[in-house]
């Protein structure tokens, strides 16, 4: 896992819901997001492969006033923790780049409001 100091783009904390339909029907928590990557926390073990490409649906919190959007992501790392796991992804494509960009901007703005 990359150290925050070594990242090209700052990751912003998020409370959005994340859905990986290929693996489970429930939601996960989008813990953080940048224009190049993200981390999700699942409340169950998920069988992802490092280097595997997946579709990830992001459902931003209502306060952002941004609708759901999809990202194409590649699994970079996986960390199990008891009955849950954290998964780090690199963003490879954003079919609806406008909503994605607006959400990253919203998270950056929110982080600057509450340093």
């Amino acid at each position: 896992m990359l150290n925050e100091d070594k990242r090209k783009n700052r990751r912003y904390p998020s409370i959005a819901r994340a859905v990986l339909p290929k693996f489970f029907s429930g939601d996960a928590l989008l813990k953080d997001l940048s224009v190049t990557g993200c981390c999700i926390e699942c409340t169950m073990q998920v069988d992802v492969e490092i280097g595997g490409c997946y579709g990830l649906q992001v459902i931003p919190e209502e306060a952002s006033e941004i609708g759901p959007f999809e990202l194409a992501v590649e699994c970079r790392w996986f960390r199990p923790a008891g009955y849950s796991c954290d998964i780090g992804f690199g963003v490879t494509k954003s079919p609806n780049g406008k909503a994605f960009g607006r959400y990253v901007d919203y998270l950056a703005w929110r982080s600057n409001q509450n340093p």
Side-chain angles (χ1 to χ4, degrees):
M1 184 167 124
L2 289 174
N3 181 322
E4 186 69 29
D5 296 334
K6 295 180 183 179
R7 294 188 190 278
K8 290 182 183 180
N9 299 94
R10 181 174 173 203
R11 293 269 180 105
Y12 300 104
S14 170
I15 54 171
R17 293 176 17 222
V19 179
L20 274 170
K22 185 173 181 178
F23 294 101
F24 57 91
S25 59
D27 294 342
L29 171 68
L30 180 69
K31 291 176 70 171
D32 61 42
L33 179 69
S34 75
V35 294
T36 58
C38 64
C39 174
I40 68 169
E41 178 181 345
C42 301
T43 57
M44 62 180 69
Q45 292 296 327
V46 179
D47 189 24
V48 295
E49 292 182 27
I50 304 296
C53 295
Y54 306 100
L56 176 68
Q57 182 181 25
V58 176
I59 305 167
E61 58 273 22
E62 192 174 315
S64 73
E65 298 182 1
I66 299 168
F69 57 90
E70 303 230 355
L71 298 173
V73 295
E74 178 183 345
C75 181
R76 300 283 170 82
W77 56 267
F78 176 83
R79 182 177 48 217
Y83 294 105
S84 67
C85 64
D86 287 348
I87 308 169
F89 293 102
V91 175
T92 58
K93 185 177 178 186
S94 174
N96 185 357
K98 192 171 188 175
F100 172 50
R102 285 182 56 224
Y103 188 57
V104 173
D105 289 345
Y106 167 78
L107 294 176
W109 172 82
R110 191 180 68 193
S111 290
N112 290 329
Q113 298 300 308
N114 302 312

